[in-house]
Amino acid sequence: MVSVLPQETVVLGGGIIGLSCAFEAARRGHRVTLLESGELGGQASGAAAGMLAPFSENTEQPDPFFQLSLNSLRLFPQWVRDVEEASGIKAELMHTGSLSLIQHEADLLPAQGRLAWQNQWGAGAELVQGSALRKLEPNLSRHIEAAVFNPEESHVYAPKLVAGLIQACRRLGVRLGQHAGRLARLELRQGGGAAIQMMNLEKEIQCDSLLLCSGAWAGELESWLGITIPVHPIRGQICSYPGSAEELRHMVFSSQAYWVGKQNGEIVCGASEDVAGFATGVTEKGIARLTSASSSFYPFLDNRALIRQWAGLRPATRDGFPLLGRVAGRSGIIMAAGHYRNGILLSPVSAKLAIDELEGRSRSDELRPFSPNRFTYI
């Protein structure tokens, strides 16, 4: 039985997941307010390379996270069209396919095992070697002899997708409250819903339902919700070179770095990861790891000066799965956080499942592996 739409829905967090949830809720008829402590899309979302690569990111087995990611990849084309139509902003979705480089002969057998199970899930992937690899990616270093080619994997330009979601939310009537400051008080009402006070806002906000999309800051909600939320920030450092789509034809993954060519004339290289708390500055060591890998795998980049260097905080969980679903014992309180480096990829499916759960439409088996309550009882 489908529940009655709540009168007021608040989304706490204005990254890609929060914006996607607000967009989904608003286009289903909810009255939505989104609250962001800083600037909309200003953390991991705006810094992301925008890769939609469930096969390349999940090479071991078709676990629930892989299935969630694949589901989201296949929702993406229509979802992006919906965002573009609602906003008038193109997200630059590019169906380039991907190459996962095989650097050593010992890696060939695991790659063939990966192909076997991924093709059962419709990857259409193949092992490419020698001249076939050179034809796909002519500028790749000659010391790479083989790669796994996944034709379905794609990428978007994350800043434009974020801008499109912001504009789409505005046009749908979402009240966007950026620079609202940190959460000062969260009172969960006995009969459902909540009262929220943000540090930079004078008025308390009442809502019938609350979507918690706080990204790397989700752990701060523990004391308010009474559950364990093991989310911590991982800094991802990225840089970009001048370059054309002809010079880098696919998304390319290696054990040291990845490379993605964008329509704005940049080749993005990432990501050097480290634990640095909530620091978002780049380091000489982190960027040097990326430029060294670029020189090794793509020699044509060796003498090109970097255009940009930046970093974002990726919200990691203890088991690598996001927190997605209803907070136990809290009517109308839904969490969508902890997406680590897959926030862009998982945005459409996370929004769909979160709002389905809010409206009583979801299936318990879809969300069980990602329950926000799963660490509380360990």
Side-chain angles (χ1 to χ4, degrees), residues 301-315:
L301 295 174
D302 195 21
N303 295 317
R304 295 193 186 180
L306 295 177
I307 298 175
R308 294 189 294 141
Q309 307 171 44
W310 69 98
L313 299 178
R314 298 165 166 192

Side-chain angles (χ1 to χ4, degrees), residues 8 39 64 72 75-76 84 113-114 117 131 137 143 147 151 156 191 216 228 232 247 258 270 312 340 352:
E8 296 291 342
E39 188 169 343
S72 205
L75 290 174
F76 227 95
E84 291 175 339
R114 167 188 166 182
W117 76 259
S131 60
E137 200 63 37
H143 78 271
V156 293
T228 302
H232 60 280
E247 290 178 306
Y258 61 74
Y340 188 35
K352 177 185 181 302

Side-chain angles (χ1 to χ4, degrees), residues 134-177:
R134 307 286 160 236
K135 186 175 180 180
L136 284 174
E137 200 63 37
N139 285 321
L140 186 63
S141 173
R142 298 297 176 187
H143 78 271
I144 302 297
E145 288 294 330
V148 172
F149 173 50
N150 269 297
E152 189 178 358
E153 295 191 322
S154 311
H155 61 93
V156 293
Y157 188 47
K160 287 195 173 181
L161 178 59
V162 169
L165 281 165
I166 293 170
Q167 181 67 356
C169 284
R170 283 199 181 106
R171 290 182 174 180
L172 287 168
V174 175
R175 296 174 292 279
L176 297 173

